[in-house]
């Protein structure tokens, strides 16, 4: 991975760069296409600017939403044109088609320093199918391929894994990708100790393999939110109506945890106390309970004050922190204090010199609700891609650049 080429290894003068970005940004759903979070665009701008300042030509490929292989106005990337033009301070050209004569003509007319944005690549079903002929058609659009789409680099889609095959030596990653790779490296065993991983959220199945891998590499694993209840249940605790998913898989994991506990290596901690509710709503009746004895008819929706203190102490003492997944149903104000307290502790640790990496849409949303997003060392632009990387797998999109 050390010798992966970046845009800095190329001079783009008179060359056309085919840049795969991830402009799949959240927009408000009233069809005015107001961008709610432009992190992904902002992090890719330096890559585009580098090519422009070299006097190269830029052809941008991106997806947006899930149009399922056919044109749909609500998934058009047109709304990005004026936004990108504002940020780059140059006019942006647009192509309705991603392959074929019309787009090839537009590219042949492109001058050095100009940018052409292609329409949503997912309007072609061949993209998600990883179609090789489609990838070949795309490869004709540029001289050098650049992957700056971390958020989708765990997918074997045509523009991610097939297109680079046609570029042999002339392919590289952009600055956004480089930043993501370096941040993950800091966590995966190369960071300053103590290294703490904090996992919350609800999708337990997507995070089990991560725990297995990280347990060997880090000092503390803190598990909270909906993630914790299956573990408690597996240990014989009573979790009432709390979220319990993939219980069978967790038995195997429980064994691993026990093994590590015996070896006294990585320390895994769960919440001690939780705020329980009599229904899944913000206005539910609540009380405090031990996480091991939640009565029937009640469910844990946030971590309690003892757990907050315990987790915050560990975070305060850590030099490297990774966080993915909220500690409770933070969308309900009455169950948000665990998530916000943890976010605050991570900000404080960062201010005291720790390296912090936060990924996953909900954790980043929680940071933004408190205006903490600029106080974290690195926000990951890809929740799923970050989780896949944490399983110690080289993402298909990165592999395609190296091989
Ligand atoms: P994930 O996509 O796996 O990171 O899950 C994020 C979701 O987990 C958020 O919408 C939270 O509301 C939800 N969540 C966190 N803690 C709990 C909990 N104790 N019970 C139910 N849902 C939870």
């Amino acid at each position: 991975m050390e010798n992966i080429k970046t845009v800095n290894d190329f001079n783009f003068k008179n060359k056309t760069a085919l840049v795969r970005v991830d402009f799949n940004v959240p927009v408000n759903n009233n069809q005015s296409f107001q961008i709610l979070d432009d992190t992904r665009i902002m992090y890719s701008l330096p890559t585009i600017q580098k090519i422009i300042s070299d006097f190269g030509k830029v052809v941008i490929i991106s997806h947006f939403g899930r149009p399922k292989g056919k044109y749909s106005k609500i998934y058009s990337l047109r709304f990005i044109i004026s936004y990108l033009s504002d940020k780059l301070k140059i006019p942006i050209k647009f192509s309705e088609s991603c392959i074929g004569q019309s787009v090839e003509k537009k590219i042949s007319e492109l001058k050095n320093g100009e940018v052409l944005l292609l329409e949503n690549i997912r309007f072609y079903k061949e993209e998600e199918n990883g179609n090789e002929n489609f990838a070949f058609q795309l490869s004709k659009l540029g001289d050098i391929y650049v992957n700056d789409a971390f958020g989708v680099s765990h997918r074997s889609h045509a523009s991610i894994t097939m297109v680079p095959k046609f570029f042999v030596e002339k392919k590289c990653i952009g600055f956004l990708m480089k930043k993501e790779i370096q941040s993950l490296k800091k966590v995966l065993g190369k960071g300053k100790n103590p290294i703490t991983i904090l996992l919350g959220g609800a999708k337990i199945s997507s995070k089990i393999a991560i725990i297995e891998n990280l347990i060997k590499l880090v000092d503390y694993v803190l598990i909270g939110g909906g993630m914790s209840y299956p573990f408690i249940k597996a240990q014989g605790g009573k979790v009432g109506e709390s979220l319990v998913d993939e219980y069978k898989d967790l038995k195997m994991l429980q064994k691993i945890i026990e093994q590590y506990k015996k070896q006294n290596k990585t320390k895994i901690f769960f919440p001690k106390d939780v705020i329980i509710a009599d229904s899944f709503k913000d206005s539910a009746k609540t009380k405090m309970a031990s996480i091991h004895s939640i009565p029937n008819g009640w469910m844990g929706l946030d971590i309690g004050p003892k757990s907050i203190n315990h987790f915050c102490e560990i975070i305060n003492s850590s030099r490297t922190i990774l966080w993915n997944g909220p500690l409770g149903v933070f969308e309900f104000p009455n169950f948000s204090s665990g998530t916000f307290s943890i976010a605050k502790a991570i900000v404080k640790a960062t201010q005291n010199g720790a390296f912090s990496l936060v990924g996953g849409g909900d954790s980043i949303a929680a940071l933004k609700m408190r205006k903490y997003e600029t106080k974290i060392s690195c926000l990951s632009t890809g929740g799923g891609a970050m989780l896949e990387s944490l399983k110690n797998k080289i993402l298909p999109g990165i592999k395609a650049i190296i091989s």
Side-chain angles (χ1 to χ4, degrees):
M1 198 77 94
E2 259 77 47
N3 47 21
I4 187 165
K5 283 187 193 159
T6 76
V7 275
N8 274 341
D9 292 308
F10 291 90
N11 184 342
F12 290 88
K13 189 169 182 184
N14 297 327
K15 302 278 185 230
T16 304
L18 191 56
V19 187
R20 176 52 157 114
V21 295
D22 179 356
F23 286 171
N24 187 26
V25 288
V27 293
N28 66 357
N29 49 16
N30 63 7
Q31 302 219 3
S32 67
F33 291 99
Q34 187 202 343
I35 297 173
L36 301 175
D37 176 9
D38 65 357
T39 313
R40 286 175 168 173
I41 304 177
M42 295 306 284
Y43 281 19
S44 271
L45 288 184
T47 301
I48 298 167
Q49 277 157 338
K50 144 80 180 156
I51 301 162
I52 293 172
S53 65
D54 274 2
F55 294 105
K57 302 161 195 180
V58 187
V59 177
I60 298 177
I61 301 179
S62 181
H63 69 285
F64 176 62
R66 296 192 169 168
K68 302 210 168 94
K70 54 178 193 286
Y71 178 83
S72 163
K73 201 175 165 195
I74 58 164
Y75 293 116
S76 172
L77 271 172
R78 277 188 177 275
F79 73 97
I80 299 275
I81 302 173
S82 59
Y83 193 85
L84 204 54
S85 181
D86 258 20
K87 297 288 168 199
L88 292 170
K89 302 198 171 28
I90 53 169
I92 302 295
K93 302 193 166 171
F94 187 74
S95 171
E96 303 280 350
S97 50
C98 296
I99 55 167
Q101 280 177 356
S102 148
V103 61
E104 285 172 23
K105 183 166 179 284
K106 281 192 171 139
I107 292 170
S108 69
E109 288 162 3
L110 215 56
K111 297 189 187 78
N112 286 343
E114 289 189 337
V115 176
L116 176 74
L117 172 68
L118 306 190
E119 182 54 288
N120 192 346
I121 191 83
R122 286 196 186 163
F123 286 167
Y124 297 80
K125 65 178 182 332
E126 291 86 349
E127 163 66 356
E128 289 186 74
N129 294 343
N131 184 291
E132 194 166 359
N133 183 44
F134 177 66
F136 172 67
Q137 299 299 322
L138 283 171
S139 74
K140 292 200 283 183
L141 308 183
D143 306 305
I144 301 167
Y145 171 87
V146 181
N147 182 345
D148 213 20
F150 179 74
V152 75
S153 283
H154 58 309
R155 309 254 183 235
S156 295
H157 293 171
S159 66
I160 297 291
T161 53
M162 300 303 281
V163 175
K165 288 188 183 175
F166 297 99
F167 285 84
V168 198
E169 294 287 300
K170 294 194 170 155
K171 53 188 173 182
C172 63
I173 56 167
F175 294 123
L176 175 154
M177 278 290 262
K178 188 178 172 200
K179 193 173 173 188
E180 296 274 5
I181 294 171
Q182 283 176 339
S183 300
L184 281 161
K185 217 185 266 172
K186 285 194 184 163
V187 178
L188 292 169
K190 301 238 163 59
K192 289 189 184 149
N193 298 80
I195 303 174
T196 296
I197 305 289
L198 183 72
L199 293 176
K203 285 184 225 110
I204 301 150
S205 45
S206 63
K207 292 170 193 166
I208 290 175
I210 297 170
I211 300 173
E212 280 183 77
N213 181 44
L214 290 179
I215 233 164
K216 299 171 237 155
L217 305 171
V218 306
D219 300 287
Y220 297 104
V221 177
L222 309 180
I223 296 175
M227 287 277 297
S228 46
Y229 300 101
F231 289 91
I232 303 300
K233 194 169 171 185
Q235 288 167 350
K238 290 200 174 95
V239 298
E241 316 312 315
S242 306
L243 192 71
V244 174
D245 178 26
E246 305 269 334
Y247 178 54
K248 278 183 211 135
D249 283 7
L250 286 159
K251 269 193 172 161
M252 185 265 290
L253 191 63
Q254 204 60 40
K255 265 191 205 159
I256 300 172
I257 293 173
E258 288 308 321
Q259 266 173 10
Y260 274 89
K261 271 187 185 165
K262 272 185 209 143
Q263 289 173 16
N264 211 12
K265 279 188 182 168
T266 302
K267 297 185 170 57
I268 300 177
F269 292 114
F270 297 96
K272 296 170 182 173
D273 56 341
V274 282
I275 300 175
I276 57 172
D278 65 351
S279 61
F280 190 81
K281 55 180 190 241
D282 194 31
S283 57
K285 209 197 262 175
T286 62
K287 57 184 180 181
M288 216 63 88
S290 154
I291 196 166
H292 291 276
S293 49
I294 300 175
N296 287 342
W298 292 76
M299 61 189 83
L301 294 187
D302 197 8
I303 57 173
K306 281 187 205 148
S307 313
I308 292 177
N309 280 344
H310 183 219
F311 282 11
C312 287
E313 261 172 35
I314 294 173
I315 290 167
N316 284 343
S317 70
S318 302
R319 307 285 312 278
T320 305
I321 303 151
L322 179 141
W323 177 33
N324 186 309
L327 282 302
V329 185
F330 76 106
E331 297 93 332
F332 296 158
N334 286 329
F335 303 101
S336 63
S337 95
T339 300
F340 290 139
S341 304
I342 293 298
K344 193 172 175 186
I346 298 174
V347 166
K348 205 171 140 207
T350 312
Q351 282 162 346
N352 290 334
F355 173 81
S356 55
L357 170 61
V358 178
D362 289 304
S363 315
I364 293 177
L367 286 175
K368 290 192 168 165
M369 284 161 85
R370 282 289 189 270
K371 302 214 180 332
Y372 288 154
E373 70 273 22
T374 54
K375 297 176 178 162
I376 295 294
S377 313
C378 187
L379 297 184
S380 177
T381 56
M386 176 183 174
L387 294 179
E388 281 303 304
S389 306
L390 292 173
K391 291 176 193 164
N392 212 14
K393 286 186 182 153
I394 300 183
L395 300 182
I398 297 174
K399 221 183 221 169
I401 300 293
I402 303 168
S403 53

